[in-house]
Amino acid sequence: MLTVTFLVGCATQTQQLKMNESKEPFKNGDLQNTAAVIQGAFKDKNTLYYMEMGEVQRLQGPSQIPSSTQNLLAADQLVSRWELTTSDKLRRSFSGASSYVLSEGFSSEYDPKPYEVTLLSQTLALNHLSQGRWDDAMVEAKKMAQREKVIEELIQSKVSAVSKVEREQQANPNTQAATSRIENISGYPINLLDDEETRSLKNSYQNPAAYYLSGFIHESQGEASLAAPGYRLAIELRPQVNFFKTSIAKLDSNIANRSKKSFADTLIVIDTGYMPKIIPYQISQTFNIGGNSKLITLTFPVIEKSTERFRPSLIQLGDRVANPELVANIDAMARKNLRDEMPAYVLRASSRALVSLTAQYAADRAAQQAANQRNQNNQNNGTAALIGAIAGMITGYGLQAINVTDVRHWSTLPAQTYMARMGLPIGPTVLKYTLPSGVTASQTVNLVGGYNVVYIRMFRNKATVLTSNDPAALPPKPTDPAAVINTATPLPVTTSVVATTAPMPALIESKPPEGTFAGFKKLLGGFQDPKPEEAALELPAPTVSKATVSSPAVAQPSTPTPAPASNPNPTSAPAPSETPASSNIEGVRPYEPPNLLNSFQQLFN
């Protein structure tokens, strides 16, 4: 069992280490190699896989949007399943909450972080806009508001669960030293979670950029009652952004004149920077067990210092220069989330350490008792002492091996989001922008009457540009050959990975509570071949083929004649569908000598 647990914990860390290797290619805009790393890093196609692959595919150009949307929708289905199962675990009972808090790092499944859930809906909305499906984008905007309530409830449940587990651990003489305070762990770089930007955030999941995009989408559809809350929330979270206030002030008049607009009302969204790595960080800590001080190594997640921040210095469309404002700091949201999660990480690590030390202490006492018994019988106690020492060493190292921490995260997200809103002439417009390398690139975008979104993802020396209502982003017709990226849009030279569309996973109903042994059997089952009925639920791996992308954007653009575009009448996508807890805490029992089996069971209960 120790071996299996150790392997699962190591697998999650190895997966993220492989993803960290793709950071440099990704920063250079080498999306081909990034996609290849993702394919190789994930043994199981879980939520994180679909988010990573969906994000990289969309950045490869308009013709990859259908495949990207398919992967992001797969992630969305798994997030819906996660909402149901996690709520059930945390509401079930104390034992369920205890198991949830102490079991992190033992599963190949991925619990999305709160800010990642918000960004998943935002990214899907942008994909739908690229394909001209404004109604579907509005569904995602509504989903963001619905999920925010679920996330808030889950966060409160986690806080309550950690508090309950800590009380139980401290009521047990074997684990009284367990703590949830990172301040009690000397040597942890708390300054990385305590900068001014992180402290200024209300929470880790409310994203001003997502709220404003939601308001813009609802405004485009004439839904003033839905647009206004999005704008107001964006203002509440980021009051220094000027055009947020202008948008709410002009909302009624904009909607009243929506059908009469003689210009392209354009929202420009610019993503820059890169998410910092989250890595395992080991710290030696002293604990007292059996009257003796023992030194043991704890492992915590640490988020690295921010690097390569970039504020767009030139964004120009035609003869109009935009003034992008910082509307979302995703880097800070990730730090805020880790700060909020640290009590659970600290409690988990200290509890596992104490269980490990208790097991070692029990093994040492057993060896000593065996040695004394043999000595009383005038037999050689050397063998018994040696066996006891080996048993203690194996127990100590074995239990220490499960002191792992889950450092997985959506690593291809940007660090900051900038926005600007402009009224521009309808038709082909030259977009110019300065890249982090200092090079000014340009290309032509086509703007339609009414509402438009221009999305720019900047890398070091290149960028991906996506526009709403782009004919190149539509799925190929059945009679069309394999999708090839539209050569009319200058994009960086690369080879793209095209994923064939796959059936969506069925949303699984939440199962009744499982016992500890059943849960561990499921853990063991993760290393076995799936049963036929389980295999049917898995999404097939994307089929990889190659498509050529056109030449990179340069300072002096060629001006192609874009295909005419108009706001289509999209078909609405169905919105995703949306138990009292009882306390069962045992009283404090009289102290008993540590028992190895009980100590190991405590780790999973």
Side-chain angles (χ1 to χ4, degrees), residues 52 154 172-173 183 266 356 387 485 521 534 542 591:
E52 297 277 24
L154 291 178
N172 185 332
E183 293 80 5
T266 305
S356 174
I387 293 174
I485 291 183
K521 285 176 63 181
E534 293 172 341
Y591 176 74

Side-chain angles (χ1 to χ4, degrees), residues 21 41 43 56 61 83 101 160-161 187 207 268 305 346 355 396 421 425 481-482 484 495 499 524 546 556 588:
E21 293 174 2
K43 177 183 177 182
V56 171
E83 291 174 5
V101 170
S160 176
N207 185 334
I268 305 165
K305 188 176 179 179
V346 175
V355 168
R421 184 169 176 177
V484 177
T495 307
L524 289 170
K546 293 184 178 180
Q556 299 300 324
V588 179

Side-chain angles (χ1 to χ4, degrees), residues 258 261-265 425-427 447-452 469 565-567:
R258 190 166 58 98
K261 283 190 176 181
S262 58
F263 63 93
D265 193 342
I426 297 171
L447 304 177
V448 302
Y451 292 83
N452 297 260
N469 313 305
S566 59
N567 285 317

